[in-house]
Amino acid sequence: MVEERGQRSKSPNVCAVQKLIGTNKKYFTNCKQWYQRKICGKSTVISYECCPGYEKVPGEKGCPAALPLSNLYETLGVVGSTTTQLYTDRTEKLRPEMEGPGSFTIFAPSNEAWASLPAEVLDSLVSNVNIELLNALRYHMVNRRVLTDELKHGMALTSMYQNSDIQIHHYPNGIVTVNCARLLKADHHATNGVVHLIDKVISTVTNNIQQIIEIEDTFETLRAAVAASGLNTLLEGDGQFTLLAPTNEAFEKIPAETLNRILGDPEALRDLLNNHILKSAMCAEAIVAGMSVETLEGTTLEVGCSGDMLTINGKAIISNKDILATNGVIHYIDELLIPDSAKTLFELAAESDVSTAVDLFRQAGLGTHLSGNERVTLLAPLNSVFKDGTPNIDARTKNLLLNHLIKEQLASKYLYHGQTLNTLGGKKLRVFIYRNSLCIENSCIAAHDKRGRYGTLFTMDRMLTPPMGTVMDVLKGDNRFSMLVAAIQSAGLTEMLNREGVYTVFAPTNEAFQAMPPGELNKLLGNAKELANILKYHIGDEILVSGGIGSLVRLKSLQGDKLEVSSKNNVVNVNKEPVAEADIMATNGVVYAISSVLQPPAIRPQERGDELADSALEIFKQASAYSRAARTSVKLAPVYQRLLERMKH
């Protein structure tokens, strides 16, 4: 034990004890076992006791006096296992062994452990003390001294009853279990061995996990499922597993259609069963707070406790715990833990915030794509997308929904920028990767993937709008942009916006042009070069959808200067001007409708001065080069004179 070094740091050989309020449970705290004054959500009281082997001295701090060592029998009384002493006395052979020479370890049940045994079990022991009781006590003993630092997770100790194994588990939180009984007080030395106090009477283990499944009536459905999956070889082999064993009742709780589908699909069935098997043995006493554990299927379960109840993913579904097998431990559960990998898209969506979108697929007669064995990826908008209502189901909506289904089963971690995805509706969708978002066209992924048996669910932040043509097609097809289309044609930019490319176009509406002073507008439209310059300032050199903006993006324009694009509370701004409509998708870019004509930043005086200085330096270099030649060449003399004139200006 580790001494408490807090308020009692000056007191020698004092150990901290956490007592669970309202129970007799105690946890002798070591360095790994501080549970924030709570065990399974219940408050504890910290008290202090003498560490094993020490006692108080009147007038002295702490527990300074070392107790003299006694033999094993007498040490049982010291640790508070007087019932074990009593039963040892009743046998003819055991007390002499405990008092005699040798080196033994005894895992001694506490008095409370003996008292909690069912009456019929206790009666069978005490009615035949020299066989049943003697054998039971010998099973708690090891024929050598074993201290806690030797008790390793997953090891087996050979007991003194027919060399039967005792299973030891030493958990990361510091708790040690012996056949799933918790070690209460450890390492009480005796002249002929060591005593460890435990909280249960332990019994021999003879069956493996598979054998227990075969003999328990409540596992009839599980037994058939294990046989069909071929997992019986694993469950009867070597190892240390935890089986969260679904009872017949657990299987009956799920729809017959779902159960029959999984039982008839070997891969889904294997994933289902593997999701009930943990990679190591986990006794109930080791769980004092929430912890994450990994199943053989690869998913993570949250195992915790609430009072005396164990929980899985927050649900108290364990009905019987700590059924020990030679290769692990079984906990009965009353609810199936179906992994995503065994579910259809319909079933995945039922547990996600996308139920409205899935209902639309049903209404449109497209449900078979979400429940069959077709390899697809569903781009499902969040329910919040439809807060103002859902679209009417017509041919256009049906086609739009088909474009939310990708023709292959994807994983978002393998998507890359510029990738194209083919939909069941015949469209090609582009993938855009930004610093903090991953988007498919105008819609961005809002939650982690859910990968089902055949389909994968991507939760999206909005309805997808597939591109319907080039940027010029989009602008020509919208009456709001007729003046912009005319300006683009006058500036000679039509071909550029019709060909392949990646553009973000901030498109001024007719109202934006009409808001300009008439003289300024006429001047702009009458100067093709200046018009082209202004229009290029409205075009970014990459595709930036609103979901990829974040707080601020400085987007380089084709004119050369940068546009400041920001987003806050779902409102996009460009150069601090609000965007009227975002994410109008085109095959070669994206269009934002804006209500003003953007002006490139004016050249600052310092920048103008730098330009003049650069020009003067260039003229000076040219004049120097010509000066010597001009002295001997009549033809070069006029050129030299002109350079001198420019230098004067």
Side-chain angles (χ1 to χ4, degrees):
M1 282 292 184
V2 176
E3 295 177 21
E4 169 65 17
R5 296 298 184 185
Q7 297 175 347
R8 312 276 175 121
S9 60
K10 301 298 183 183
S11 303
N13 308 316
V14 173
C15 288
V17 180
Q18 283 182 281
K19 186 176 187 302
L20 203 57
I21 295 174
T23 73
N24 292 320
K25 274 194 170 185
K26 291 182 178 180
Y27 291 78
F28 285 77
T29 305
N30 64 31
C31 293
K32 293 182 179 179
Q33 292 174 318
W34 275 119
Y35 305 122
Q36 291 78 45
R37 296 289 181 97
K38 285 185 181 294
I39 303 288
C40 289
K42 289 191 174 182
S43 297
T44 61
V45 174
I46 305 295
S47 60
Y48 301 90
E49 297 182 6
C50 291
C51 293
Y54 294 90
E55 66 179 350
K56 295 180 180 179
V57 174
E60 298 287 336
K61 288 183 177 181
C63 306
L67 292 169
L69 292 184
S70 303
N71 59 48
L72 279 176
Y73 177 81
E74 292 177 356
T75 304
L76 289 173
V78 173
V79 302
S81 186
T82 53
T83 305
T84 306
Q85 263 187 328
L86 173 65
Y87 290 146
T88 299
D89 274 334
R90 291 195 183 184
T91 66
E92 294 178 1
K93 300 178 181 179
L94 200 53
R95 179 169 178 176
E97 282 188 35
M98 288 190 179
E99 292 179 330
S103 181
F104 307 101
T105 296
I106 180 166
F107 296 101
S110 66
N111 294 341
E112 293 81 8
W114 286 108
S116 66
L117 277 180
E120 63 273 15
V121 174
L122 196 55
D123 287 345
S124 70
L125 292 176
V126 298
S127 63
N128 193 348
V129 293
N130 287 317
I131 297 179
E132 297 294 338
L133 184 59
L134 177 63
N135 291 342
L137 290 170
R138 281 187 178 279
Y139 183 64
H140 288 74
M141 297 179 66
V142 177
N143 197 16
R144 64 184 179 89
R145 187 187 303 264
V146 183
L147 300 177
T148 49
D149 60 1
E150 190 184 336
L151 300 178
K152 306 299 182 186
H153 192 70
M155 74 180 294
L157 295 174
T158 302
S159 77
M160 291 175 60
Y161 170 65
Q162 296 184 352
N163 292 329
S164 299
D165 283 346
I166 301 172
Q167 294 182 15
I168 304 296
H169 294 99
H170 198 151
Y171 298 95
N173 59 11
I175 285 177
V176 177
T177 60
V178 181
N179 279 18
C180 284
R182 180 167 58 89
L183 215 62
L184 299 176
K185 294 181 181 179
D187 296 340
H188 285 266
H189 290 272
T191 55
N192 57 345
V194 62
V195 177
H196 304 288
L197 190 69
I198 60 176
D199 73 345
K200 292 184 184 72
V201 178
I202 62 174
S203 57
T204 55
V205 180
T206 56
N207 290 330
N208 59 46
I209 292 174
Q210 179 62 28
Q211 288 169 328
I212 294 173
I213 292 173
E214 288 173 355
I215 61 178
E216 290 291 330
D217 290 339
T218 192
F219 294 142
E220 182 181 357
T221 309
L222 175 62
R223 187 159 55 244
V226 168
S229 69
L231 280 174
N232 49 319
T233 304
L234 173 76
L235 297 180
E236 65 189 10
D238 294 335
Q240 283 292 304
F241 304 105
T242 299
L243 174 64
L244 303 171
T247 60
N248 295 337
E249 179 187 354
F251 283 98
E252 290 166 3
K253 286 181 179 178
I254 67 170
E257 182 183 355
T258 300
L259 179 59
N260 291 334
R261 177 183 61 78
I262 294 175
L263 292 177
D265 181 343
E267 186 173 332
L269 179 59
R270 194 172 185 87
D271 284 349
L272 171 70
L273 295 177
N274 278 337
N275 200 48
H276 291 75
I277 304 172
L278 307 185
K279 292 182 175 181
S280 62
M282 177 68 67
C283 296
E285 284 294 336
I287 301 166
V288 294
M291 60 193 301
S292 297
V293 294
E294 189 176 357
T295 69
L296 288 187
E297 195 272 334
T299 59
T300 298
L301 301 177
E302 294 299 321
V303 179
C305 52
S306 178
D308 294 330
M309 297 293 294
L310 289 185
T311 61
I312 300 176
N313 295 339
K315 297 180 179 179
I317 60 174
I318 294 181
S319 56
N320 194 6
K321 56 192 178 185
D322 288 345
I323 310 303
L324 212 60
T326 56
N327 57 349
V329 61
I330 298 175
H331 304 294
Y332 292 32
I333 63 171
D334 293 333
E335 189 173 305
L336 272 183
L337 305 171
I338 305 177
D340 288 350
S341 58
K343 294 177 182 176
T344 65
L345 280 170
F346 268 138
E347 291 160 354
L348 291 176
E351 301 165 0
S352 305
D353 193 20
V354 295
S355 56
T356 305
V358 172
D359 283 341
L360 287 174
F361 276 88
R362 278 199 185 96
Q363 294 169 30
L366 301 175
T368 54
H369 295 296
L370 308 186
S371 59
N373 56 6
E374 189 177 6
R375 295 284 182 185
V376 293
T377 299
L378 171 63
L379 310 179
L382 287 162
N383 289 339
S384 58
V385 172
F386 304 100
K387 62 182 183 295
D388 296 325
T390 56
N392 294 323
I393 302 300
D394 53 22
R396 181 176 176 277
T397 302
K398 185 173 181 178
N399 189 60
L400 178 61
L401 292 174
L402 284 171
N403 284 321
H404 283 73
L405 282 168
I406 309 299
K407 283 185 176 180
E408 57 185 310
Q409 189 175 15
L410 301 171
S412 61
K413 62 184 177 182
Y414 295 119
L415 298 180
Y416 56 88
H417 190 76
Q419 183 178 2
T420 57
L421 310 173
N422 295 309
T423 73
L424 293 186
K427 291 290 183 181
K428 289 185 180 296
L429 306 180
R430 296 158 298 181
V431 176
F432 305 120
I433 308 278
Y434 302 104
R435 184 172 298 279
N436 294 309
S437 54
L438 192 162
C439 306
I440 299 173
E441 294 299 332
N442 61 304
S443 186
C444 301
I445 294 177
H448 292 298
D449 307 1
K450 282 183 171 290
R451 186 177 179 86
R453 176 66 178 93
Y454 293 103
T456 296
L457 175 68
F458 286 0
T459 301
M460 311 302 288
D461 67 353
R462 65 198 70 196
M463 282 290 281
L464 194 89
T465 53
M468 302 304 291
T470 66
V471 168
M472 281 307 296
D473 292 333
V474 168
L475 297 177
K476 286 179 179 178
D478 193 325
N479 291 332
R480 291 177 297 173
F481 304 122
S482 58
M483 292 185 71
L484 174 61
V485 169
I488 289 171
Q489 292 169 340
S490 297
L493 300 178
T494 304
E495 184 182 349
M496 179 186 77
L497 295 179
N498 261 327
R499 64 175 179 242
E500 287 187 10
V502 285
Y503 306 115
T504 296
V505 179
F506 295 96
T509 61
N510 296 341
E511 289 77 8
F513 282 104
Q514 291 163 358
M516 294 178 66
E520 186 177 329
L521 176 61
N522 292 333
K523 181 180 177 182
L524 176 63
L525 296 176
N527 186 334
K529 184 176 180 182
E530 181 62 22
L531 179 60
N533 190 58
I534 290 288
L535 292 177
K536 285 181 179 179
Y537 181 62
H538 288 73
I539 305 172
D541 64 355
E542 61 179 288
I543 296 177
L544 179 65
V545 298
S546 61
I549 292 172
S551 56
L552 177 66
V553 173
R554 300 190 74 222
L555 179 66
K556 186 179 180 183
S557 73
L558 298 186
Q559 175 262 356
D561 287 311
K562 291 186 176 179
L563 298 157
E564 291 196 351
V565 188
S566 61
S567 179
K568 186 176 182 180
N569 299 326
N570 295 320
V571 176
V572 176
N573 290 275
V574 55
N575 291 359
K576 300 183 180 178
E577 294 290 332
V579 165
E581 184 181 350
D583 297 333
I584 308 170
M585 303 308 296
T587 55
N588 58 347
V590 59
V591 175
Y592 292 80
I594 58 174
S595 302
S596 60
V597 177
L598 304 176
Q599 298 295 327
I603 299 177
R604 294 187 292 272
Q606 178 63 45
E607 292 175 343
R608 181 63 177 162
D610 291 343
E611 289 179 7
L612 290 172
D614 290 342
S615 297
L617 180 61
E618 184 61 30
I619 293 169
F620 179 77
K621 288 178 179 177
Q622 293 179 32
S624 297
Y626 279 108
S627 62
R628 183 173 300 174
R631 294 170 189 166
T632 57
S633 173
V634 175
K635 289 183 180 180
L636 290 176
V639 177
Y640 179 61
Q641 289 298 319
R642 284 197 297 273
L643 286 171
L644 289 178
E645 288 298 320
R646 289 181 66 190
M647 288 176 66
K648 288 178 184 179
H649 291 294

